[in-house]
Amino acid sequence: MKICCIGAGYVGGPTMAMIASKCPHIQVAVVDINQERIDAWNSDTLPIYEPGLHEIVQGARGENLYFSTEVDRYIQESEVIFISVNTPTKEYGSGLGQAADLRFVEACARKIAEISTTPKIIVEKSTVPVRTAEMVQTILKSTSPETPHQVVSNPEFLAEGTAITDLLDPDRVLIGGETTVGGKKAVEKVVEIYSNWVAKDRIITTNLWSSELSKLTANAFLAQRISSINAISALCEETGAHVDEVARAIGTDSRIGPKFLKSSVGFGGSCFQKDILNLCYLCRYFRLPEVAEYWEQVIHMNEYQKERFVRRILEAMFNTVSGKKIAILGFAFKKDTNDTRESPAIAICRRLLEEKATLAIYDPKVSKQAIINSLNLPDEQIDSIQFCESAMEACDQSHCIAVLTEWDEFREINFESVYQSMIKPAILFDGRNLLDLEKIKAIGFNAKGIGVG
Ligand code: NAD
Ligand code: UGA
């Protein structure tokens, strides 16, 4: 069997590498229009950092896994075509700032319709609004009515930083298709691919629309848990309760469960906000404004949490950070990834620069250029940033340390010697509740976490 995936990003690359490594009998091509990205996939420096990814790619690349810009060729050759292109929030026109921008998905559908001379199974891997498959079907049917293509929905649930283990041992694989004979056969074909390593009882099949909507719903529920615990964190700070203790106490209730209750400076990443906005847009489109307003609160709380963090820093620094050096430890939206998309660090750094602070940023995996691109600020503000090679360098001669990503290496910092090198009073804000604050306070720091009374 030959398959291909359009889109060599955070999803397309790792997902196809896993299929290739688990299915040596399948030839897998990952295609993209971005030459630089494809070159990186074919090099020793992969375009994304993901634990375990390099080994899997190295094992299959050149055997049954190919990265290429020859989009037309691999579409033509493949029986199954995954679409894994980006579906960002619309930045123009109707639906601005809310709806999903589906132009990349549409371009893929048009390309497949134009190129294909044999029937294809087109798999929506990208996260899309419910009923997107209808758009793909319409394009295919109107462009090549004589070729019976099938559209299947197979959303991806991997999280960055744990993509390889998530793909290797998924909680479930979701596959939605049409309930016609052709639709069922197409679903079976995709089930067959995953069955090479995923137990059958973990492969859920549904109709197309349930599958599409389940993806948006899953992300909305996950983000909602974070906003809920973050809302409680604000109350903890006022009352002497400790948010981690509250999370533990409620998480032991099997109906609630312990995961995704880690209070933080706010959730980031390319998907939670985008997918909730998309869900809200759909609700309004279907004239359900109350439902839209309910989910919008999840985003409002996340914005509030980031701003609250900045305000607490300001208060601790006598309401002015102008000319003061603040060490920013971590810029990625979570540990074990180099991804900075919608990272809470972006909003926090921008706010601190607006307050005229000098920032010293260190992240183990995010490059200087990626930080500059993410902040997207005028040169004079970028001049107020020092880009550091280590946490120690960032903290040296600083007034305050802000931990924004939960990288394991930050636990290993020698805070006694850091304290010696700082301007007093030495302040530390742990935006991830990563560190042992009692120990850090004992050194002499004015140290605060999230939701710690
Ligand atoms: P990404 O931006 O990293 O990658 C998308 C790739 O698609 C880019 O390399 C781009 O060049 C390519 N592309 C766009 N249009 C193309 C075209 N017409 N032909 C060929 N290539 C094209 O995006 P991502 O993070 O991999 O996300 C992809 C989709 O998966 C999104 O819908 C996202 O919501 C969803 N998703 C992402 C994650 C995640 O962890 N990042 C997890 C689950 C689902
Ligand atoms: C998330 C989902 O977990 C995946 O299932 C989904 O496939 C993916 O979005 C997607 O659709 O893109 P991801 O964004 O990669 O994955 O990472 P998460 O682990 O979900 O973390 C998202 C953000 O929430 C991070 O900023 C993280 O630090 C934060 N978070 C997470 C918390 O603040 N507290 C928690 O308890 C968990």
Side-chain angles (χ1 to χ4, degrees):
M1 193 201 290
K2 288 185 177 178
I3 69 174
C4 83
C5 173
I6 312 180
Y10 283 85
V11 169
T15 311
M16 293 303 126
M18 183 57 70
I19 293 180
S21 101
K22 291 291 171 188
C23 314
H25 57 289
I26 301 182
Q27 186 186 301
V28 183
V30 190
V31 295
D32 205 294
I33 42 177
N34 184 333
Q35 181 74 54
E36 209 182 312
R37 236 182 185 182
I38 290 296
D39 289 346
W41 278 112
N42 283 320
S43 77
D44 276 338
T45 317
L46 301 184
I48 63 177
Y49 172 71
E50 191 64 63
L53 176 64
H54 202 256
E55 293 78 352
I56 294 215
V57 170
Q58 265 188 332
R61 197 173 53 194
E63 299 290 330
N64 65 331
L65 175 67
Y66 305 94
F67 295 94
S68 169
T69 50
E70 286 184 87
V71 180
D72 295 13
R73 172 184 157 197
Y74 284 105
I75 288 177
Q76 178 66 290
E77 284 183 5
S78 300
E79 186 181 345
V80 180
I81 302 167
F82 289 79
I83 299 181
S84 188
V85 297
N86 36 331
T87 50
T89 305
K90 254 188 107 176
E91 287 178 349
Y92 55 88
S94 118
L96 165 81
Q98 281 236 318
D101 190 343
L102 291 179
R103 67 195 153 119
F104 306 112
V105 174
E106 182 174 338
C108 292
R110 288 187 184 280
K111 179 61 95 183
I112 295 166
E114 177 204 334
I115 298 291
S116 306
T117 49
T118 52
K120 309 288 185 194
I121 296 170
I122 293 121
V123 186
E124 283 176 355
K125 181 57 103 181
S126 298
T127 303
V128 290
V130 54
R131 298 206 76 88
T132 299
E134 201 171 21
M135 176 263 275
V136 177
Q137 282 164 336
T138 306
I139 291 171
L140 293 165
K141 278 187 189 144
S142 55
T143 316
S144 48
E146 64 295 339
T147 322
H149 302 299
Q150 283 293 335
V151 181
V152 169
S153 160
N154 169 223
E156 184 49 59
F157 294 99
L158 68 79
E160 288 176 33
T162 53
I164 297 305
T165 45
D166 293 343
L167 288 166
L168 201 57
D169 187 22
D171 286 346
R172 70 348 202 146
V173 168
L174 179 58
I175 303 170
E178 281 197 292
T179 46
T180 57
V181 174
K184 285 181 183 157
K185 272 195 183 159
V187 167
E188 251 331 291
K189 195 85 188 163
V190 182
V191 169
E192 197 186 304
I193 297 175
Y194 285 102
S195 304
N196 284 292
W197 79 97
V198 180
K200 273 268 166 64
D201 61 357
R202 292 215 180 167
I203 303 180
I204 302 174
T205 57
T206 65
N207 78 26
L208 268 173
W209 322 126
S210 305
S211 174
E212 288 180 335
L213 185 56
S214 297
K215 174 63 197 176
L216 292 185
T217 309
N219 274 358
F221 268 62
L222 289 170
Q224 176 265 328
R225 278 175 74 96
I226 303 168
S227 279
S228 294
I229 198 71
N230 281 346
I232 297 301
S233 77
L235 194 55
C236 288
E237 285 160 25
E238 299 299 327
T239 55
H242 192 308
V243 75
D244 286 344
E245 291 180 352
V246 175
R248 185 157 162 249
I250 64 165
T252 48
D253 185 326
S254 59
R255 293 167 303 174
I256 296 176
K259 293 185 181 167
F260 260 72
L261 285 179
K262 187 77 189 148
S263 190
S264 67
V265 66
F267 60 75
S270 61
C271 293
F272 280 172
Q273 175 166 310
K274 142 178 109 65
D275 292 345
I276 293 176
L277 288 170
N278 182 355
L279 187 66
C280 295
Y281 180 80
L282 278 172
C283 293
R284 291 222 156 78
Y285 177 84
F286 289 110
R287 295 183 299 284
L288 302 166
E290 291 82 358
V291 185
E293 278 160 27
Y294 173 79
W295 287 109
E296 263 156 11
Q297 284 308 312
V298 173
I299 294 175
H300 292 163
M301 185 51 61
N302 200 47
E303 295 303 312
Y304 167 75
Q305 188 74 347
K306 288 182 270 187
E307 179 56 24
R308 228 166 54 72
F309 187 77
V310 172
R311 272 191 265 141
R312 289 175 75 210
I313 291 183
L314 290 175
E315 270 166 36
M317 297 178 78
F318 317 112
N319 286 315
T320 176
V321 291
S322 170
K324 294 180 186 167
K325 177 174 166 183
I326 301 180
I328 302 290
L329 300 190
F331 198 85
F333 80 98
K334 62 186 283 198
K335 73 169 179 176
D336 291 340
T337 178
N338 61 345
D339 195 350
T340 62
R341 291 179 290 180
E342 302 296 334
S343 174
I346 299 173
I348 290 163
C349 288
R350 280 192 187 144
R351 278 288 287 114
L352 292 171
L353 288 167
E354 203 178 286
E355 298 287 344
K356 302 214 175 299
T358 302
L359 303 183
I361 306 180
Y362 167 68
D363 186 288
K365 291 288 173 199
V366 181
S367 67
K368 173 181 173 181
Q369 198 51 50
I371 295 173
I372 293 173
N373 293 348
S374 309
L375 287 171
N376 190 21
L377 288 168
D379 287 350
E380 61 269 23
Q381 273 185 312
I382 296 293
D383 289 344
S384 303
I385 304 175
Q386 183 192 337
F387 297 91
C388 302
E389 297 297 324
S390 70
M392 291 300 271
E393 184 193 346
C395 297
D396 186 46
Q397 294 298 308
S398 68
H399 293 74
C400 172
I401 300 170
V403 178
L404 300 188
T405 313
E406 71 283 22
W407 286 101
D408 290 334
E409 68 171 64
F410 298 157
R411 291 182 210 265
E412 310 302 322
I413 294 173
N414 179 345
F415 281 101
E416 267 112 16
S417 59
V418 165
Y419 182 77
Q420 299 308 324
S421 76
M422 286 178 69
I423 315 277
K424 309 298 181 303
I427 296 165
L428 182 143
F429 271 84
D430 184 354
R432 296 288 181 167
N433 288 353
L434 178 76
L435 308 170
D436 184 339
L437 284 191
E438 290 314 312
K439 271 195 192 159
I440 288 173
K441 279 182 195 164
I443 297 169
F445 277 94
N446 172 6
K448 294 184 196 299
I450 299 280
V452 188

